[in-house]
Amino acid sequence: MSASSPTETCWPTLPAFRSRVVPVIALADAAQAVPLAHALLAGGVDVMEITLRTPAAWAAMEAVARQVPGMHVGAGTVTRPEDVLRVLDAGATFALSPGCTQALVEAVVAARLPFVPGVMTPSEAMAARDHGFGLLKLFPAAQAGGLAMLQALGGPLADLRFCPTGGVNLANMAQFLALPNVRVCGGSWLTPQDAVDAQDWAEMLLRMYLRWAEARGFQVDELDRLYGEEAGIKSVTLQISGPYAYGLLKGEAGIHRLIRISPFDASGRRHTAFASVDVYPDIDTNIEIDIKEEDLRIDVFRASGPGGQHVNRTNSAVRITHLPTNIVVQCQNEKSQLKNKTFAMKILKARLYERELKELEASKKADYASKDAIAFGSQIRTYTLQPYRLVKDHRTSFEDSSVDAVLDGRLDEFLRATLLHAHGEKRASHGA
């Protein structure tokens, strides 16, 4: 592999996950893995690392890879070259290692397995870069010198990106994520306990929106619901119908954070839970293809190849160019120019229909990719129940201390503040 372009040889092959948080999970029971992965996805985290120290961890990684679409599973602590193919067979999206030996590098390159090698010093980072790797795992990052090393890296290492892990937790993670050369942060602060809290929080949000819709007289149809094993819900899909429903609710899309004393923690400790909300308009997906004559250039020519009485003697073949899209179709199978034109128009309509479908799908993917992942500063609103009581929208700075009323559906003031804030930003951008 070339030492001159690590971002071209390795980084693009890694999964395009959007989360900046990589929970590092050490599971003793494979049965916990799938519910935990579903809860993470519901909260906006689409990547997780499972440390492969026990047979149960291997089973957990395979279960998540097979049963949780959309979750990128990283195989952690891969140190032996002979384990590389086993990681691929288990369905892992990528692998991480505490080291970067020559034999391991050769194995992952031969298997074309996206790989994040571990480093501890700038010299090790340089060696990994020479192997062509653009994303490196810095371990242990929270020890003395880890943060300073990331801050000081530059020069030939300026194009590298890092995943600090080892001692990274909710208290110090923001320091690492603020650095420009940090792509993601890995930490082992998440437990199955937190998954239950997130699922319960998702159900609380569902109740809040149902109460709000009921107070406005909107019709609500539940299209899908996935229950949590212990409590709450993993996901739910609602269709809310009413005057200006989408316009009012579109500002609710994003990450919602809850801070409270967890009812699922026997020690009575304070927990933070996240839930992700998506809002989409109900649009007509029927695609009508309207082709204007002025958008077409029609050329006729003699058909090529072996033919009969008319095929090669008359200008029966037709080529149609759709000028706005530069799509070109042609037909020369029939003896009649009119029939060839008719068939060519059918092909053109089919091509334009396919193009519209691809544009719709690309638009959906762009909307999903633009949504913030769970990380400090990414939440749009925080609902604090302990040690004080306050609901605060971080975009508009609007606050309401009547937490119970808000969770009971009193959202109009928040919605109004969000709409006014969006309108002000739009006017400011037009003025600029």
Side-chain angles (χ1 to χ4, degrees):
M1 301 177 71
S2 170
S4 62
S5 56
T7 55
E8 294 177 5
T9 55
C10 177
W11 175 234
T13 67
L14 287 165
F17 46 80
R18 57 189 175 84
S19 175
R20 297 197 69 199
V21 179
V22 183
V24 182
I25 313 297
L27 293 171
D29 181 6
Q32 298 175 340
V34 172
L36 183 56
H38 277 300
L40 288 171
L41 271 180
V45 176
D46 61 344
V47 58
M48 63 190 294
E49 174 189 346
I50 298 180
T51 54
L52 302 178
R53 294 187 179 132
T54 64
W58 281 91
M61 180 179 68
E62 185 170 4
V64 172
R66 309 295 186 208
Q67 300 178 35
V68 189
M71 174 59 73
H72 301 291
V73 189
T77 62
V78 176
T79 57
R80 302 185 306 170
E82 55 267 30
D83 285 338
V84 171
L85 291 179
R86 186 181 174 193
V87 166
L88 280 174
D89 291 339
T93 313
F94 63 106
L96 305 97
S97 173
C100 186
T101 65
Q102 182 66 34
L104 188 58
V105 169
E106 291 175 355
V108 297
V109 170
R112 302 186 64 81
L113 174 66
F115 184 63
V116 182
V119 299
M120 296 181 64
T121 64
S123 60
E124 291 180 356
M126 180 69 78
R129 184 193 186 284
D130 291 341
H131 283 299
F133 296 106
L135 177 67
L136 309 179
K137 178 179 178 180
L138 180 64
F139 181 89
Q143 286 190 359
L147 187 62
M149 171 185 161
L150 288 171
Q151 291 171 332
L153 284 178
L157 300 180
D159 58 346
L160 291 176
R161 295 295 177 264
F162 290 86
C163 172
T165 186
V168 177
N169 53 45
L170 293 176
N172 60 20
M173 183 174 62
Q175 291 179 290
F176 289 99
L177 288 176
L179 299 176
N181 56 355
V182 171
R183 167 68 176 85
V184 290
C185 267
S188 55
W189 61 86
L190 194 73
T191 67
Q193 156 77 51
D194 299 301
V196 178
D197 270 307
Q199 292 168 3
D200 187 58
W201 171 224
E203 189 168 44
M204 291 170 64
L205 283 176
L206 170 64
R207 178 182 179 274
M208 179 181 75
Y209 290 120
L210 288 176
R211 290 293 181 90
W212 174 84
E214 180 183 3
R216 281 187 162 266
F218 287 177
Q219 179 181 343
V220 180
D221 296 307
E222 184 174 308
L223 307 180
D224 178 67
R225 184 187 292 223
L226 183 62
Y227 289 95
E229 279 76 8
E230 186 173 339
I233 56 174
K234 295 175 182 177
S235 65
V236 64
T237 304
L238 302 176
Q239 183 178 46
I240 300 179
S241 305
Y244 309 108
Y246 173 70
L248 291 168
L249 288 173
K250 63 181 180 180
E252 294 298 289
I255 306 300
H256 295 246
R257 180 174 68 167
L258 172 69
I259 303 174
R260 65 171 177 176
I261 301 297
S262 172
F264 306 100
D265 189 339
S267 301
R269 292 173 295 185
R270 190 172 62 184
H271 284 253
T272 299
F274 296 89
S276 176
V277 175
D278 289 310
V279 183
Y280 300 107
D282 185 11
I283 59 175
D284 185 4
T285 56
N286 293 325
I287 300 174
E288 294 185 3
I289 304 299
D290 182 21
I291 301 177
K292 300 177 181 178
E293 286 292 333
E294 58 267 26
D295 291 339
L296 301 179
R297 186 179 71 238
I298 301 177
D299 303 309
V300 294
F301 57 96
R302 292 187 179 183
S304 60
Q309 183 177 359
H310 298 282
V311 173
N312 292 320
R313 291 186 171 185
T314 61
N315 292 330
S316 59
V318 176
R319 180 188 297 114
I320 300 177
T321 303
H322 188 247
L323 299 176
T325 61
N326 205 31
I327 294 176
V328 180
V329 297
Q330 66 181 40
C331 185
Q332 59 181 11
N333 295 335
E334 300 295 328
K335 297 178 182 180
S336 166
Q337 185 186 108
L338 180 60
K339 289 184 178 180
N340 281 330
K341 181 181 177 182
T342 301
F343 279 117
M345 286 296 293
K346 287 183 179 179
I347 297 171
L348 177 60
K349 286 185 177 181
R351 293 275 300 275
L352 290 172
Y353 182 83
E354 181 185 24
R355 184 175 182 272
E356 289 294 323
L357 286 178
K358 288 181 178 179
E359 287 184 354
L360 284 174
E361 187 64 25
S363 176
K364 290 179 182 179
K365 289 182 179 180
D367 289 341
Y368 182 80
S370 65
K371 196 176 73 170
D372 287 333
I374 288 184
F376 280 94
S378 67
Q379 63 272 2
I380 63 168
R381 192 178 300 149
T382 297
Y383 306 72
T384 304
L385 305 185
Q386 289 288 342
Y388 54 89
R389 299 177 67 81
L390 183 69
V391 181
K392 179 175 181 178
D393 194 295
H394 300 286
R395 301 160 299 179
T396 65
S397 297
F398 182 81
E399 300 178 352
D400 192 337
S401 59
S402 303
V403 180
D404 292 334
V406 173
L407 292 176
D408 205 35
R410 197 177 75 182
L411 290 173
D412 286 343
E413 289 301 318
F414 284 96
L415 301 181
R416 181 176 181 273
T418 302
L419 290 172
L420 289 175
H421 176 73
H423 180 66
E425 286 190 334
K426 187 176 181 180
R427 290 188 63 181
S429 63
H430 286 171

mmCIF file of all heavy atoms in Angstrom, residues 124-159:
data_model
loop_
_atom_site.group_PDB
_atom_site.id
_atom_site.type_symbol
_atom_site.label_atom_id
_atom_site.label_comp_id
_atom_site.label_asym_id
_atom_site.label_seq_id
_atom_site.Cartn_x
_atom_site.Cartn_y
_atom_site.Cartn_z
ATOM 1 N N GLU A 124 4.535 5.758 16.322
ATOM 2 C CA GLU A 124 3.645 4.666 15.917
ATOM 3 C C GLU A 124 2.595 5.176 14.934
ATOM 4 O O GLU A 124 2.200 4.456 14.006
ATOM 5 C CB GLU A 124 2.973 4.051 17.156
ATOM 6 C CG GLU A 124 3.923 3.284 18.053
ATOM 7 C CD GLU A 124 3.214 2.688 19.254
ATOM 8 O OE1 GLU A 124 2.000 2.948 19.425
ATOM 9 O OE2 GLU A 124 3.863 1.957 20.027
ATOM 10 N N ALA A 125 2.121 6.403 15.122
ATOM 11 C CA ALA A 125 1.166 6.988 14.179
ATOM 12 C C ALA A 125 1.798 7.141 12.805
ATOM 13 O O ALA A 125 1.155 6.885 11.773
ATOM 14 C CB ALA A 125 0.665 8.329 14.702
ATOM 15 N N MET A 126 3.086 7.569 12.762
ATOM 16 C CA MET A 126 3.785 7.694 11.497
ATOM 17 C C MET A 126 3.920 6.340 10.803
ATOM 18 O O MET A 126 3.731 6.223 9.582
ATOM 19 C CB MET A 126 5.158 8.316 11.722
ATOM 20 C CG MET A 126 5.979 8.485 10.442
ATOM 21 S SD MET A 126 5.296 9.742 9.334
ATOM 22 C CE MET A 126 5.866 11.230 10.161
ATOM 23 N N ALA A 127 4.243 5.293 11.583
ATOM 24 C CA ALA A 127 4.382 3.950 11.010
ATOM 25 C C ALA A 127 3.052 3.471 10.431
ATOM 26 O O ALA A 127 3.006 2.884 9.342
ATOM 27 C CB ALA A 127 4.890 2.975 12.067
ATOM 28 N N ALA A 128 1.942 3.731 11.146
ATOM 29 C CA ALA A 128 0.623 3.331 10.646
ATOM 30 C C ALA A 128 0.267 4.099 9.378
ATOM 31 O O ALA A 128 -0.315 3.545 8.444
ATOM 32 C CB ALA A 128 -0.434 3.550 11.721
ATOM 33 N N ARG A 129 0.666 5.376 9.338
ATOM 34 C CA ARG A 129 0.420 6.165 8.144
ATOM 35 C C ARG A 129 1.197 5.610 6.955
ATOM 36 O O ARG A 129 0.698 5.577 5.830
ATOM 37 C CB ARG A 129 0.822 7.623 8.378
ATOM 38 C CG ARG A 129 0.516 8.529 7.207
ATOM 39 C CD ARG A 129 1.200 9.878 7.359
ATOM 40 N NE ARG A 129 0.785 10.795 6.310
ATOM 41 C CZ ARG A 129 1.210 10.763 5.049
ATOM 42 N NH1 ARG A 129 2.089 9.859 4.679
ATOM 43 N NH2 ARG A 129 0.768 11.636 4.167
ATOM 44 N N ASP A 130 2.407 5.159 7.198
ATOM 45 C CA ASP A 130 3.218 4.589 6.127
ATOM 46 C C ASP A 130 2.604 3.316 5.564
ATOM 47 O O ASP A 130 2.867 2.941 4.416
ATOM 48 C CB ASP A 130 4.638 4.312 6.625
ATOM 49 C CG ASP A 130 5.411 5.593 6.890
ATOM 50 O OD1 ASP A 130 4.990 6.642 6.366
ATOM 51 O OD2 ASP A 130 6.417 5.548 7.620
ATOM 52 N N HIS A 131 1.795 2.640 6.379
ATOM 53 C CA HIS A 131 1.072 1.458 5.889
ATOM 54 C C HIS A 131 -0.177 1.847 5.108
ATOM 55 O O HIS A 131 -0.831 0.978 4.518
ATOM 56 C CB HIS A 131 0.688 0.546 7.056
ATOM 57 C CG HIS A 131 1.816 -0.275 7.597
ATOM 58 N ND1 HIS A 131 2.503 -1.193 6.831
ATOM 59 C CD2 HIS A 131 2.372 -0.318 8.836
ATOM 60 C CE1 HIS A 131 3.433 -1.775 7.573
ATOM 61 N NE2 HIS A 131 3.377 -1.259 8.788
ATOM 62 N N GLY A 132 -0.535 3.139 5.126
ATOM 63 C CA GLY A 132 -1.677 3.589 4.342
ATOM 64 C C GLY A 132 -2.952 3.792 5.118
ATOM 65 O O GLY A 132 -4.013 3.925 4.534
ATOM 66 N N PHE A 133 -2.870 3.846 6.469
ATOM 67 C CA PHE A 133 -4.076 3.995 7.274
ATOM 68 C C PHE A 133 -4.298 5.458 7.625
ATOM 69 O O PHE A 133 -3.373 6.165 8.035
ATOM 70 C CB PHE A 133 -3.978 3.157 8.557
ATOM 71 C CG PHE A 133 -3.898 1.683 8.288
ATOM 72 C CD1 PHE A 133 -2.702 1.003 8.449
ATOM 73 C CD2 PHE A 133 -5.007 0.982 7.836
ATOM 74 C CE1 PHE A 133 -2.619 -0.359 8.181
ATOM 75 C CE2 PHE A 133 -4.931 -0.373 7.563
ATOM 76 C CZ PHE A 133 -3.734 -1.047 7.730
ATOM 77 N N GLY A 134 -5.547 5.911 7.480
ATOM 78 C CA GLY A 134 -5.872 7.313 7.713
ATOM 79 C C GLY A 134 -6.618 7.576 9.002
ATOM 80 O O GLY A 134 -6.693 8.706 9.458
ATOM 81 N N LEU A 135 -7.227 6.536 9.606
ATOM 82 C CA LEU A 135 -7.917 6.677 10.887
ATOM 83 C C LEU A 135 -7.231 5.750 11.880
ATOM 84 O O LEU A 135 -7.110 4.548 11.631
ATOM 85 C CB LEU A 135 -9.395 6.310 10.762
ATOM 86 C CG LEU A 135 -10.207 6.358 12.072
ATOM 87 C CD1 LEU A 135 -10.319 7.794 12.574
ATOM 88 C CD2 LEU A 135 -11.597 5.766 11.881
ATOM 89 N N LEU A 136 -6.795 6.304 13.007
ATOM 90 C CA LEU A 136 -6.026 5.539 13.988
ATOM 91 C C LEU A 136 -6.725 5.586 15.344
ATOM 92 O O LEU A 136 -7.355 6.578 15.707
ATOM 93 C CB LEU A 136 -4.610 6.107 14.121
ATOM 94 C CG LEU A 136 -3.826 6.300 12.821
ATOM 95 C CD1 LEU A 136 -2.454 6.886 13.127
ATOM 96 C CD2 LEU A 136 -3.688 4.993 12.061
ATOM 97 N N LYS A 137 -6.566 4.501 16.089
ATOM 98 C CA LYS A 137 -7.119 4.402 17.437
ATOM 99 C C LYS A 137 -6.036 4.792 18.433
ATOM 100 O O LYS A 137 -4.998 4.137 18.510
ATOM 101 C CB LYS A 137 -7.613 2.983 17.688
ATOM 102 C CG LYS A 137 -8.166 2.733 19.082
ATOM 103 C CD LYS A 137 -8.640 1.292 19.193
ATOM 104 C CE LYS A 137 -9.168 0.966 20.571
ATOM 105 N NZ LYS A 137 -9.637 -0.437 20.663
ATOM 106 N N LEU A 138 -6.255 5.885 19.168
ATOM 107 C CA LEU A 138 -5.286 6.330 20.168
ATOM 108 C C LEU A 138 -5.671 5.754 21.524
ATOM 109 O O LEU A 138 -6.736 6.058 22.055
ATOM 110 C CB LEU A 138 -5.254 7.855 20.235
ATOM 111 C CG LEU A 138 -4.269 8.446 21.255
ATOM 112 C CD1 LEU A 138 -2.838 8.091 20.893
ATOM 113 C CD2 LEU A 138 -4.444 9.952 21.357
ATOM 114 N N PHE A 139 -4.785 4.900 22.084
ATOM 115 C CA PHE A 139 -5.107 4.210 23.340
ATOM 116 C C PHE A 139 -3.841 4.143 24.198
ATOM 117 O O PHE A 139 -2.771 3.794 23.680
ATOM 118 C CB PHE A 139 -5.617 2.798 23.042
ATOM 119 C CG PHE A 139 -5.991 2.015 24.272
ATOM 120 C CD1 PHE A 139 -7.277 2.096 24.765
ATOM 121 C CD2 PHE A 139 -5.063 1.226 24.926
ATOM 122 C CE1 PHE A 139 -7.620 1.377 25.903
ATOM 123 C CE2 PHE A 139 -5.405 0.512 26.056
ATOM 124 C CZ PHE A 139 -6.690 0.591 26.542
ATOM 125 N N PRO A 140 -3.938 4.425 25.493
ATOM 126 C CA PRO A 140 -5.093 5.001 26.203
ATOM 127 C C PRO A 140 -5.060 6.516 26.097
ATOM 128 O O PRO A 140 -4.103 7.149 26.522
ATOM 129 C CB PRO A 140 -4.904 4.513 27.636
ATOM 130 C CG PRO A 140 -3.419 4.340 27.778
ATOM 131 C CD PRO A 140 -2.868 4.006 26.408
ATOM 132 N N ALA A 141 -6.093 7.113 25.572
ATOM 133 C CA ALA A 141 -6.097 8.537 25.250
ATOM 134 C C ALA A 141 -6.165 9.418 26.487
ATOM 135 O O ALA A 141 -5.649 10.536 26.483
ATOM 136 C CB ALA A 141 -7.274 8.844 24.330
ATOM 137 N N ALA A 142 -6.828 8.933 27.547
ATOM 138 C CA ALA A 142 -7.066 9.794 28.702
ATOM 139 C C ALA A 142 -5.882 9.861 29.653
ATOM 140 O O ALA A 142 -5.903 10.633 30.612
ATOM 141 C CB ALA A 142 -8.303 9.315 29.461
ATOM 142 N N GLN A 143 -4.848 9.064 29.422
ATOM 143 C CA GLN A 143 -3.674 9.159 30.261
ATOM 144 C C GLN A 143 -2.919 10.448 29.965
ATOM 145 O O GLN A 143 -3.136 11.104 28.953
ATOM 146 C CB GLN A 143 -2.762 7.946 30.047
ATOM 147 C CG GLN A 143 -3.302 6.674 30.671
ATOM 148 C CD GLN A 143 -2.276 5.553 30.649
ATOM 149 O OE1 GLN A 143 -1.177 5.712 30.156
ATOM 150 N NE2 GLN A 143 -2.659 4.427 31.211
ATOM 151 N N ALA A 144 -1.977 10.795 30.848
ATOM 152 C CA ALA A 144 -1.212 12.032 30.690
ATOM 153 C C ALA A 144 -0.530 12.067 29.328
ATOM 154 O O ALA A 144 0.158 11.137 28.943
ATOM 155 C CB ALA A 144 -0.178 12.146 31.809
ATOM 156 N N GLY A 145 -0.739 13.146 28.608
ATOM 157 C CA GLY A 145 -0.087 13.307 27.323
ATOM 158 C C GLY A 145 -0.959 12.966 26.136
ATOM 159 O O GLY A 145 -0.641 13.354 25.012
ATOM 160 N N GLY A 146 -2.046 12.215 26.332
ATOM 161 C CA GLY A 146 -2.883 11.816 25.210
ATOM 162 C C GLY A 146 -3.537 12.998 24.523
ATOM 163 O O GLY A 146 -3.463 13.154 23.306
ATOM 164 N N LEU A 147 -4.161 13.881 25.312
ATOM 165 C CA LEU A 147 -4.820 15.055 24.751
ATOM 166 C C LEU A 147 -3.789 16.011 24.157
ATOM 167 O O LEU A 147 -3.988 16.571 23.069
ATOM 168 C CB LEU A 147 -5.644 15.753 25.838
ATOM 169 C CG LEU A 147 -6.529 16.916 25.387
ATOM 170 C CD1 LEU A 147 -7.576 16.439 24.398
ATOM 171 C CD2 LEU A 147 -7.188 17.581 26.588
ATOM 172 N N ALA A 148 -2.655 16.188 24.870
ATOM 173 C CA ALA A 148 -1.611 17.082 24.372
ATOM 174 C C ALA A 148 -1.017 16.566 23.067
ATOM 175 O O ALA A 148 -0.697 17.348 22.167
ATOM 176 C CB ALA A 148 -0.511 17.232 25.424
ATOM 177 N N MET A 149 -0.902 15.254 22.935
ATOM 178 C CA MET A 149 -0.364 14.684 21.697
ATOM 179 C C MET A 149 -1.275 15.000 20.517
ATOM 180 O O MET A 149 -0.817 15.395 19.444
ATOM 181 C CB MET A 149 -0.205 13.174 21.856
ATOM 182 C CG MET A 149 0.134 12.436 20.563
ATOM 183 S SD MET A 149 0.159 10.650 20.807
ATOM 184 C CE MET A 149 -0.011 10.086 19.091
ATOM 185 N N LEU A 150 -2.571 14.853 20.709
ATOM 186 C CA LEU A 150 -3.511 15.140 19.634
ATOM 187 C C LEU A 150 -3.482 16.625 19.269
ATOM 188 O O LEU A 150 -3.592 16.990 18.100
ATOM 189 C CB LEU A 150 -4.922 14.733 20.051
ATOM 190 C CG LEU A 150 -5.195 13.229 20.124
ATOM 191 C CD1 LEU A 150 -6.553 12.968 20.761
ATOM 192 C CD2 LEU A 150 -5.142 12.608 18.742
ATOM 193 N N GLN A 151 -3.326 17.479 20.272
ATOM 194 C CA GLN A 151 -3.299 18.917 20.014
ATOM 195 C C GLN A 151 -2.041 19.336 19.261
ATOM 196 O O GLN A 151 -2.056 20.288 18.486
ATOM 197 C CB GLN A 151 -3.391 19.681 21.334
ATOM 198 C CG GLN A 151 -4.745 19.551 22.020
ATOM 199 C CD GLN A 151 -4.756 20.125 23.419
ATOM 200 O OE1 GLN A 151 -3.716 20.162 24.084
ATOM 201 N NE2 GLN A 151 -5.911 20.568 23.874
ATOM 202 N N ALA A 152 -0.937 18.588 19.480
ATOM 203 C CA ALA A 152 0.343 18.982 18.909
ATOM 204 C C ALA A 152 0.612 18.379 17.537
ATOM 205 O O ALA A 152 1.509 18.829 16.836
ATOM 206 C CB ALA A 152 1.472 18.584 19.864
ATOM 207 N N LEU A 153 -0.154 17.351 17.160
ATOM 208 C CA LEU A 153 0.129 16.685 15.897
ATOM 209 C C LEU A 153 -0.100 17.616 14.715
ATOM 210 O O LEU A 153 -1.088 18.328 14.638
ATOM 211 C CB LEU A 153 -0.759 15.439 15.741
ATOM 212 C CG LEU A 153 -0.347 14.222 16.574
ATOM 213 C CD1 LEU A 153 -1.332 13.085 16.354
ATOM 214 C CD2 LEU A 153 1.054 13.752 16.207
ATOM 215 N N GLY A 154 0.835 17.594 13.787
ATOM 216 C CA GLY A 154 0.721 18.411 12.592
ATOM 217 C C GLY A 154 1.747 17.956 11.582
ATOM 218 O O GLY A 154 2.270 16.843 11.647
ATOM 219 N N GLY A 155 2.066 18.813 10.645
ATOM 220 C CA GLY A 155 3.078 18.453 9.658
ATOM 221 C C GLY A 155 2.660 17.250 8.862
ATOM 222 O O GLY A 155 1.558 17.200 8.307
ATOM 223 N N PRO A 156 3.533 16.231 8.797
ATOM 224 C CA PRO A 156 3.210 15.045 7.994
ATOM 225 C C PRO A 156 2.052 14.235 8.543
ATOM 226 O O PRO A 156 1.516 13.375 7.854
ATOM 227 C CB PRO A 156 4.514 14.237 8.035
ATOM 228 C CG PRO A 156 5.208 14.691 9.279
ATOM 229 C CD PRO A 156 4.867 16.142 9.420
ATOM 230 N N LEU A 157 1.649 14.493 9.801
ATOM 231 C CA LEU A 157 0.545 13.746 10.394
ATOM 232 C C LEU A 157 -0.744 14.566 10.418
ATOM 233 O O LEU A 157 -1.729 14.138 11.014
ATOM 234 C CB LEU A 157 0.906 13.313 11.819
ATOM 235 C CG LEU A 157 2.132 12.404 11.964
ATOM 236 C CD1 LEU A 157 2.357 12.061 13.424
ATOM 237 C CD2 LEU A 157 1.953 11.133 11.146
ATOM 238 N N ALA A 158 -0.739 15.720 9.777
ATOM 239 C CA ALA A 158 -1.912 16.599 9.848
ATOM 240 C C ALA A 158 -3.128 16.008 9.169
ATOM 241 O O ALA A 158 -4.261 16.368 9.493
ATOM 242 C CB ALA A 158 -1.576 17.960 9.224
ATOM 243 N N ASP A 159 -2.916 15.097 8.188
ATOM 244 C CA ASP A 159 -4.063 14.541 7.468
ATOM 245 C C ASP A 159 -4.632 13.306 8.150
ATOM 246 O O ASP A 159 -5.602 12.725 7.660
ATOM 247 C CB ASP A 159 -3.677 14.201 6.023
ATOM 248 C CG ASP A 159 -2.518 13.215 5.960
ATOM 249 O OD1 ASP A 159 -1.864 13.017 6.995
ATOM 250 O OD2 ASP A 159 -2.280 12.645 4.876
#
